[in-house]
């Protein structure tokens, strides 16, 4: 019962990656187990918790609900791809550290993906818009308060940098 | 120890040392542990709440692609020993895999080991188990009846623990009081449900005879218990504590997981990893929390003074015991809450049913107890027509009464409950809050204000063990720290446990920096594995600021004394003639006559001829600390000091309810909090915010619901509802500081903060909202449906 393999090409964090994968391999398992990008986490495997969020062509998606074959020809960004080109923390990552926007760190990559995607399309979000953007990402540590503060701080700092 | 008055690093804003690795995706969680040749586990779980296992056919699974092994309970139970049983119930044995019978739906029956998790799951589907269903019992009161089906027939009943404690003249107070009330408060079965499930990876090395374990755990004495169950000497198990734990808040005990995987790697000779999927976690992971009802009786006078309280608490621990019955014991240490109630009767009853076993949850039984007490306070106020704030203040222990010994024998260290409640009311502008509520009510919707004033016992001691099990004489619950200064002069703190977001590396570096007057940024904190570690009891019971903080401070003070002794020897003076400043030691009044940090470190490491006689070369110090006030056995009446320190929190919340749907919305939330001196305010606030969010879940959304035939009805996140950023509102915290006289810096614990009062405050708010209708709800979680039904019932009653 050997499984049929399918050729895929996906751009992951700016690098072209090719592989032959079974149709049932989820995107998150591929990223974690084959590409060793373990920053993306598995929480529920049924699309509720958001820990596995990655960007697909800039939009946040659940990597647990997507097969690798569906990502063929697309761009995937994981938490490992959020840093500045020199490898230092992005403004958003640094803001999470500054406001204590995380504790155990397990939901954090998904939160960063969701909120970076928000800031990319809306550089000056309201609190309600921030809460809406992370509404599909569960966190058990923070009560979301310091995550909201992190995104607000990042927006403020990015606005200053843009001037 | 006396509280210091001013600090250099403690209490200042400081980024957590742990954060950079997490925001960059470089955390190292157990699912990230990949060992060469590693195999993976999937499980077969019981579909029945109670059944005899007639046969298990594994041949088809063994023939499936990539399968290495199938393990059943028959083999496993013959070669391992039962997990520890906390209370005195030796027949209630517990293994990772069921043998002969299953006792809850979801209990693990067989484990498949294969090249990948996917292949293991494929094979698990090919295992055929034949069951003969047996009678089961789901309701705890039914389980206590004489004719109930027995979960463990060998134990003789479903009762695990029962005792009636009477502390003070309870009957006399009830006979003489002007008023009495009685009601039942129900705490629904929920848990902390971390976003990371349990996981464990293990590797047996036949060459060294060591079993290496990486696990997502927060469990006291984990290595010892795993070794014992596997029939290994303790020094054959090496638990690696440098695994990041993706949330725990009490539940990540993981013993059965580790014994199972340890057995598999030993048997198969290859590394094995098991990561629960979400259904395995919710149904078979043994992490559901207290499931408890309280029959409350209060005796009080017209002026609001509460004279006595009777609490009967019946707790459903599910199918096995473990440490869960102790969650009825810990609240003994704060059984009257922040109130000066002189006589208490407490009747804890721990009962088994055919449900998933209960495990430790944030607060270890204190939050349900606080909920029952705080509902009682509001009911007293309502009975008397008094303001509930007045009833609270009338009964609060006063600032000048500390240290204050409560009827159950624990002494509260310090507090100023009146001040914190007043501060909280001022912060939320209580007058305007009342006007806002009344405005909503006038518009035709429902609104209520909820208040809760609760204690967080902290400094995690385990004295409930000796209270509840006379065969147990465990009177120490120590923690430790090792501090090393290397030849370059750099400081490393070594801690002995894993962390689940509590920021222990930040805590220890701040404390070491404070004592040694060195920049915490330069201090590294690492984790010993269990074979190199000093004794620790893991970060449970809001203890690490106190216990690990105290241990780190103790070790750092020894380093400081050593450096001073070296300087004194070389100056040929007494240490009293010297002063320590920023790591160097100089003669008092002559700041130029000094040894620098680097010089002292060099002497300690390389210049034995300059060391005082008797001093060990090298520069390191350890400190092992017993819990302050700990160490005693209970009196015959069951009076005992359990925890040393008592933090206080006051919650004030405004809840609005849509009368057409029953949907509650939290409009305002302020929490006043006094946990003494905060070592890192951001971390304390973060845990408190998270605790409140968790409390919102327990109050309104989260429930492990069971069907009548014993099936878990909430085995996904579509049924077990964790609050999102849409349900958790903006939260505000008001700090107050009453230092503890018992701790190094005046700190108290805070890891359970927020959760200990939020469910009570929200329940009180919902009930205040329903009060104009004459309705009340005393069972958590208060679902939209429960509210809608209560509204409908009253409307129906009004229209007939």
């Amino acid at each position: 019962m050997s499984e049929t393999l399918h050729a895929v090409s996906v751009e992951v964090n700016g690098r072209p990656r090719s592989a032959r994968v079974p149709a049932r391999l989820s995107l998150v398992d591929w990223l974690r187990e084959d590409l060793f990008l373990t920053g993306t986490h598995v929480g529920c495997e049924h699309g509720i918790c958001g820990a596995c969020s990655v960007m697909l062509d800039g939009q946040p998606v659940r990597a647990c609900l997507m097969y690798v074959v569906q990502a063929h020809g697309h761009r995937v960004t994981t938490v490992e791809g959020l840093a500045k080109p020199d490898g230092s923390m992005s403004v958003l990552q640094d803001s999470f550290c500054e406001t204590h926007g995380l504790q155990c760190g397990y939901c954090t990559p998904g939160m960063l993906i969701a909120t970076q995607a928000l800031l990319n399309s809306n550089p000056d979000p309201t609190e309600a818009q921030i809460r809406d953007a992370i509404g599909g990402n569960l966190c058990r540590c923070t009560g979301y308060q310091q995550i909201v503060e992190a995104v607000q701080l990042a927006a403020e700092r990015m606005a200053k940098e843009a001037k | 120890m006396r509280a210091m008055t001013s600090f250099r690093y403690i209490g200042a804003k400081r980024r957590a040392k742990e954060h950079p690795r997490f925001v960059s995706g470089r955390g190292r969680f157990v699912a990230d542990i990949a060992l060469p040749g590693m195999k993976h586990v999937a499980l077969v779980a019981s579909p029945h709440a109670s059944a005899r296992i007639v046969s298990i056919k594994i041949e088809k699974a063994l023939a499936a692609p990539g399968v290495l092994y199938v393990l059943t309970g028959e083999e496993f139970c013959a070669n391992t020993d039962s997990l520890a049983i906390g209370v005195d119930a030796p027949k209630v044995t517990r293994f990772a895999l069921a043998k002969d019978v299953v006792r809850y739906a979801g209990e693990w029956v067989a484990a498949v080991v294969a090249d990948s998790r996917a292949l293991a799951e494929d094979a698990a589907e090919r295992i055929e188990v034949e069951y003969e269903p047996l009678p089961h019992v789901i309701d705890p009161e039914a389980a206590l009846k004489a004719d109930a089906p027995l979960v463990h027939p060998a134990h003789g009943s479903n009762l695990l623990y029962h005792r009636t404690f009477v502390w003070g003249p309870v009957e006399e107070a009830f006979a003489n009081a002007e008023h009495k009330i009685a009601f039942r408060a129900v705490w629904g079965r929920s848990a902390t449900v971390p976003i990371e499930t349990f996981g464990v990876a293990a590797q047996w090395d036949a060459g060294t005879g060591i079993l290496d374990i990486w696990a997502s755990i927060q469990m006291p004495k984990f290595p010892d218990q795993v070794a014992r169950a596997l029939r290994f000497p303790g020094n054959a198990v090496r638990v690696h504590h440098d695994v990041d734990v993706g949330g725990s808040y009490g539940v990540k005990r993981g013993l059965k997981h580790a014994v199972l995987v340890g057995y598999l790697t030993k048997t198969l000779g290859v590394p094995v990893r098991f990561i629960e999927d979400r259904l395995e976690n919710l149904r078979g992971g043994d992490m559901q929390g207290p499931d408890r009802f309280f029959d409350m009786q209060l005796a009080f006078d017209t002026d609001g003074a509460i004279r006595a309280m009777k609490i009967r608490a019946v707790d459903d621990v599910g199918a096995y015991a473990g440490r869960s019955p102790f969650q009825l014991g810990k609240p003994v240490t704060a059984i009257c809450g922040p109130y000066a109630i002189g006589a208490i009767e407490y009747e804890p009853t721990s009962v088994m049913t055919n449900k998933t076993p209960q495990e430790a949850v944030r607060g270890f039984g204190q939050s349900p107890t606080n909920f029952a007490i705080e509902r009682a306070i509001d009911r007293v106020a309502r009975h008397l027509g008094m303001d509930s704030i007045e009833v609270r203040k009338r009964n609060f222990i006063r600032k000048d009464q500390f240290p204050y010994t409560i009827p159950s024998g624990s002494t509260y260290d310090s507090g100023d409950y009146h001040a914190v409640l007043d501060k909280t009311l001022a912060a939320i502008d209580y007058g305007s809050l009342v006007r806002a509520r009344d405005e909503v009510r006038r518009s035709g919707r429902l609104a209520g204000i909820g208040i809760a004033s609760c204690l967080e016992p902290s400094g995690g001691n385990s004295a409930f063990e000796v209270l509840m099990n006379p065969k147990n004489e465990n009177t120490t619950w120590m923690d430790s720290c090792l501090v090393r200064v290397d030849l370059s002069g750099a400081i490393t703190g070594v801690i002995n446990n894993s962390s689940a977001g509590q920021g222990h590396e930040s805590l220890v570096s701040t404390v070491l920096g404070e004592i040694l007057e060195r920049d915490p940024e330069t201090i590294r904190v690492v984790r010993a594995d269990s074979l190199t570690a000093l004794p620790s009891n893991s970060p449970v019971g809001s203890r690490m600021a106190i216990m690990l903080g105290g241990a780190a401070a103790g070790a750092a003070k020894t380093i400081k004394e050593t450096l001073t002794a070296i300087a004194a020897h070389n100056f040929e003076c007494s240490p009293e003639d010297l002063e320590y400043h920023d790591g160097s030691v100089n003669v008092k009044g002559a700041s130029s006559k000094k040894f620098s940090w680097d010089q002292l470190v060099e002497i300690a490491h390389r210049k034995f001829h300059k060391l005082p006689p008797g001093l060990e070369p090298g520069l390191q110090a350890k400190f092992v600390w017993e819990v302050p006030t700990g160490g005693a056995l209970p009196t015959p009446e069951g009076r005992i000091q359990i925890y040393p320190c008592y933090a206080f929190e006051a919650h004030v919340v405004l809840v609005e309810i849509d009368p057409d749907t029953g949907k509650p919305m939290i409009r305002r939330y302020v929490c006043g909090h006094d946990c003494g001196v905060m070592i890192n305010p951001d971390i304390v606030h973060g845990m408190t915010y998270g605790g409140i969010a968790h409390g919102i879940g327990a109050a309104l959304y989260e429930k492990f619901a069971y069907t009548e035939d014993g099936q878990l009805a909430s085995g996904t996140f579509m049924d077990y509802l964790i609050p999102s950023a849409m349900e958790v509102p903006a939260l505000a915290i008001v700090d107050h500081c009453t230092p503890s006289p018992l701790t190094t810096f005046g700190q108290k614990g805070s890891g359970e903060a927020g959760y200990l009062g939020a469910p009570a405050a929200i329940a009180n708010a919902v009930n205040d909202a329903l009060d104009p209708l004459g309705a009340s709800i005393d069972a958590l979680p208060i679902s939209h449906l429960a509210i809608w039904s209560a509204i409908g019932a009253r409307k129906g009653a009004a229209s007939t």
Side-chain angles (χ1 to χ4, degrees):
Chain A
M1 197 194 80
S2 68
E3 295 179 75
T4 310
L5 300 181
H6 305 267
V8 291
S9 295
V10 185
E11 187 189 308
V12 180
N13 297 332
R15 275 184 63 191
R17 309 294 291 246
S18 296
R20 292 176 58 78
V21 299
R24 68 173 178 170
L25 184 66
S26 70
L27 178 58
V28 70
D29 282 351
W30 185 60
L31 292 170
R32 290 181 48 82
E33 305 288 332
D34 294 354
L35 304 189
F36 303 106
L37 293 170
T38 54
T40 303
H41 296 152
V42 174
C44 71
E45 294 179 282
H46 54 272
I48 304 294
C49 78
C52 67
S53 299
V54 298
M55 283 189 231
L56 188 80
D57 301 333
Q59 293 300 315
V61 297
R62 311 292 204 211
C64 76
L65 291 187
M66 212 177 147
Y67 296 112
V68 189
V69 292
Q70 293 174 290
H72 176 67
H74 292 274
R75 280 182 297 118
V76 169
T77 308
T78 70
V79 65
E80 289 92 343
L82 293 182
K84 290 181 180 167
D86 67 356
S88 64
M89 284 191 278
S90 71
V91 172
L92 182 64
Q93 288 169 316
D94 190 73
S95 298
F96 266 69
C97 295
E98 179 64 18
T99 66
H100 192 58
L102 64 149
Q103 290 173 42
C104 80
Y106 200 76
C107 77
T108 310
M111 288 289 179
L112 287 164
I113 292 289
T115 53
Q116 186 64 59
L118 169 72
L119 292 174
N120 289 348
S121 63
N122 177 359
D124 186 24
T126 63
E127 184 190 332
Q129 287 168 329
I130 294 169
R131 286 182 178 273
D132 188 60
I134 60 172
N137 293 69
L138 298 178
C139 171
R140 259 331 217 180
C141 292
T142 63
Y144 308 101
Q145 179 89 14
Q146 290 155 315
I147 294 175
V148 172
E149 289 170 12
V151 181
Q152 289 170 328
L153 176 65
E156 217 172 276
R157 289 166 57 183
M158 284 156 73
K160 261 184 212 157
E161 278 181 18
K163 271 178 198 171
Chain B
M1 296 189 216
R2 202 134 56 93
M4 292 182 173
T5 46
S6 65
F7 302 108
R8 183 186 294 218
Y9 300 115
I10 283 175
K13 176 167 178 64
R14 173 167 300 284
R15 286 187 177 201
K17 260 191 154 34
E18 293 86 345
H19 287 347
R21 68 175 183 262
F22 293 131
V23 297
S24 58
R26 291 191 181 88
R28 187 164 173 264
F29 297 89
V30 65
D32 307 338
I33 306 286
L35 303 164
M38 190 168 74
K39 305 296 177 185
H40 302 265
V41 179
L43 298 165
V44 176
S46 165
H48 298 286
S50 175
R52 191 171 70 84
I53 299 171
V54 179
S55 65
I56 305 179
K57 290 187 184 146
I58 63 171
E59 293 73 20
K60 285 184 195 164
L62 278 174
V67 172
L68 190 65
Y69 202 67
V70 175
L71 178 67
T72 63
E74 187 88 28
E75 176 191 338
F76 182 72
C77 296
N79 293 291
T80 61
D81 289 331
S82 169
L83 303 179
I85 306 155
V87 289
D88 186 14
K91 303 288 186 190
V92 185
T93 55
R94 180 187 196 180
F95 294 85
L97 296 180
K99 175 176 168 285
D100 301 331
V101 296
V102 290
R103 297 184 171 87
Y104 65 97
E107 183 166 11
W108 301 344
V109 172
V112 181
V113 184
D115 289 341
S116 72
R117 166 77 189 195
L119 292 172
E121 286 183 25
D122 290 345
E125 288 178 3
R126 296 167 150 224
I127 291 178
E128 294 165 23
V129 187
E130 188 187 339
Y131 298 94
E132 177 195 336
L134 297 171
H136 65 274
V137 61
I138 293 301
D139 178 69
E141 287 189 291
L144 287 171
K145 292 193 174 138
D147 60 347
L150 295 180
V151 181
H152 290 263
H155 180 66
S157 85
N158 291 324
L159 186 66
L160 265 179
Y161 180 83
H162 174 261
R163 184 170 170 184
T164 303
F165 297 95
V166 180
W167 300 301
V170 175
E171 292 306 332
E172 190 188 327
F174 267 83
N176 295 334
E178 293 164 8
H179 303 274
K180 283 165 231 166
I181 58 166
F183 71 103
R184 177 173 286 193
V186 181
W187 178 275
R189 176 173 281 241
S190 58
T192 61
V193 192
I195 304 304
E196 181 205 46
T197 61
F198 284 114
V200 53
Q203 181 168 33
W204 167 255
D205 185 331
T208 58
I210 291 177
L211 172 67
D212 282 294
I213 293 179
W214 297 261
S216 175
I217 45 151
Q218 176 198 9
M219 176 66 198
K221 307 210 165 35
F222 177 84
D224 303 327
Q225 294 197 45
V226 171
R228 193 168 307 165
L230 286 167
R231 302 175 184 163
F232 287 169
N235 62 7
V237 171
R238 179 164 54 199
V239 176
H240 296 264
H241 289 127
D242 57 349
V243 174
D244 292 315
V245 178
S248 173
Y249 334 95
V251 300
K252 289 248 177 93
R253 301 301 165 127
L255 282 169
K256 75 172 191 182
H257 310 61
V259 177
L260 175 67
V261 173
Y263 178 79
L264 286 170
T265 182
K266 171 87 179 352
T267 303
L268 302 177
V270 292
V272 176
R273 190 176 82 190
F274 169 56
I275 309 292
E276 290 176 334
D277 68 20
R278 188 51 69 180
L279 179 61
E280 284 164 342
N281 174 255
L282 293 173
R283 197 170 62 150
D286 296 4
M287 46 60 102
Q288 300 183 1
D291 180 353
R292 193 175 292 188
F293 66 81
F294 300 86
D295 285 327
M296 304 289 291
Q297 295 181 63
L298 284 92
F300 49 98
D301 289 339
T302 305
D303 64 357
I306 299 168
R307 300 174 61 143
M309 182 161 64
K310 294 184 185 179
I311 304 174
R312 172 176 178 250
V314 177
D315 190 66
D316 174 357
V317 301
Y320 293 93
R323 288 177 71 76
S324 46
F326 293 144
Q327 297 197 79
L328 284 164
K330 183 262 187 86
V332 166
T333 205
I335 198 64
C336 53
Y339 309 109
I341 303 174
I344 308 270
E345 181 181 298
Y346 181 51
E347 187 188 348
T349 303
S350 181
V351 55
M352 291 182 284
T353 64
N354 295 105
K355 291 182 193 158
T356 299
Q358 180 188 116
E359 200 39 275
V361 159
R362 201 173 207 159
F364 211 65
Q366 192 68 50
S367 192
T369 310
N370 288 350
F371 156 71
I373 295 171
E374 290 304 294
R375 281 300 298 137
I377 298 295
D378 266 31
R379 280 178 163 271
V380 166
R382 192 171 180 281
H383 182 92
L384 293 173
M386 277 176 77
D387 185 330
S388 82
I389 295 168
E390 286 315 304
V391 175
R392 287 183 167 82
K393 288 185 175 176
R394 175 73 183 73
N395 290 285
F396 274 161
I397 297 160
R398 294 190 316 272
K399 184 184 180 182
D400 59 11
Q401 291 176 290
F402 292 96
Y404 182 90
T405 302
I406 65 170
S408 58
S410 281
T411 297
Y412 295 170
D413 56 337
S414 65
D416 190 350
Y417 308 153
H418 291 88
V420 178
L421 180 55
D422 280 339
K423 234 172 161 172
T424 313
L425 293 167
I428 205 165
D429 188 359
Y430 188 69
S432 77
L433 193 73
V434 172
R435 287 190 294 278
R437 176 194 65 183
D438 296 345
E439 182 70 22
V440 173
R441 285 179 175 178
R442 275 193 295 277
S443 74
R445 285 165 292 161
L446 302 174
I449 294 171
I451 297 173
S453 40
C454 300
L455 293 183
E456 179 184 6
S458 59
N461 196 3
S462 194
F464 41 76
E465 291 182 26
V466 294
L467 178 67
M468 295 177 76
N469 186 348
K471 292 180 182 162
N472 184 325
E473 290 206 337
N474 183 16
T475 58
T476 179
W477 206 242
M478 77 300 269
D479 229 293
S480 322
C481 188
L482 172 69
V483 179
R484 306 176 59 234
V485 183
D486 61 36
L487 185 52
S488 78
I491 301 167
T492 302
V494 185
I495 65 176
N496 313 287
N497 59 277
S498 47
S499 301
Q502 303 97 327
H504 298 134
E505 294 162 34
S506 307
L507 163 71
V508 169
S509 58
T510 303
V511 167
L512 297 181
E514 183 71 38
I515 301 286
L516 292 171
E517 301 174 34
R518 310 293 285 177
D519 183 355
E521 294 303 317
T522 66
I523 298 174
R524 188 173 300 283
V525 178
V526 299
R527 295 156 196 279
D529 63 60
S530 64
L531 291 185
T532 54
L534 295 167
S536 168
N537 283 288
S538 86
V540 296
S542 295
R543 71 197 303 270
M544 289 320 236
I546 296 168
M547 294 305 301
L548 181 57
K557 283 174 186 168
T558 304
I559 296 279
K560 199 166 157 178
E561 283 161 16
T562 301
L563 296 173
T564 308
I566 293 171
H569 179 71
N570 286 284
F571 281 133
E572 296 179 348
C573 70
S574 158
E576 283 76 54
D577 301 328
L578 301 173
E579 60 192 5
Y580 181 100
H581 185 63
D582 289 347
S584 62
V585 179
N586 62 275
V587 175
K588 279 179 186 165
S591 57
S592 61
K593 208 179 165 192
K594 73 170 184 182
F595 279 100
S596 71
W597 173 266
D598 288 347
Q599 289 171 316
L600 292 166
V601 169
E602 174 132 18
I603 291 171
H605 274 283
R606 294 168 65 96
K607 299 181 178 174
F608 194 71
H609 60 287
K610 290 191 171 182
L611 279 182
L615 200 70
E616 288 176 5
L619 193 51
Q620 65 174 15
K622 74 171 171 67
F623 192 87
V624 183
W625 202 24
E626 164 67 335
V627 178
T629 75
L633 292 167
T635 66
E637 310 78 49
R639 287 190 166 91
I640 186 165
Q641 180 83 40
I642 301 184
Y643 280 29
C645 301
Y646 296 81
F648 176 79
E649 56 194 55
H651 299 242
V652 183
V653 52
L654 174 65
V655 170
E656 189 178 321
I657 294 171
D658 181 333
D660 295 325
T661 64
K663 183 184 178 185
M665 291 151 285
I666 300 169
R667 294 300 189 204
R668 297 285 309 282
Y669 204 117
V670 176
C671 176
H673 188 213
D674 181 359
C675 63
V677 171
M678 292 188 287
I679 292 171
N680 184 317
D682 279 353
I683 289 178
V684 171
H685 292 156
M687 291 194 286
T688 309
Y689 292 132
I692 292 170
H694 180 198
I696 290 170
L700 298 174
Y701 302 104
E702 299 178 32
K703 186 175 183 180
F704 291 108
Y706 281 82
T707 62
E708 279 181 15
D709 58 354
Q711 299 296 327
L712 178 65
S714 41
T716 75
F717 282 170
M718 285 177 278
D719 320 291
Y720 188 92
L721 303 176
I722 292 176
S724 76
M726 309 305 280
E727 286 77 42
V728 180
L731 306 167
I733 294 171
V734 184
D735 295 319
H736 190 81
C737 179
T738 311
S740 172
L742 302 173
T743 61
T744 317
F745 307 105
Q747 75 271 38
K748 300 182 180 185
S750 65
E752 296 155 348
Y755 182 62
L756 293 185
I762 292 161
N764 282 343
V766 170
N767 276 285
D768 184 48
L770 295 176
D771 194 53
L773 298 177
S776 74
I777 301 174
D778 281 310
L780 302 187
I782 305 177
S783 64
H784 297 23
L785 179 62
I787 296 172
W788 184 81
S789 302
I791 295 168
R794 299 316 298 181
K795 276 183 180 165
S799 63
T800 49

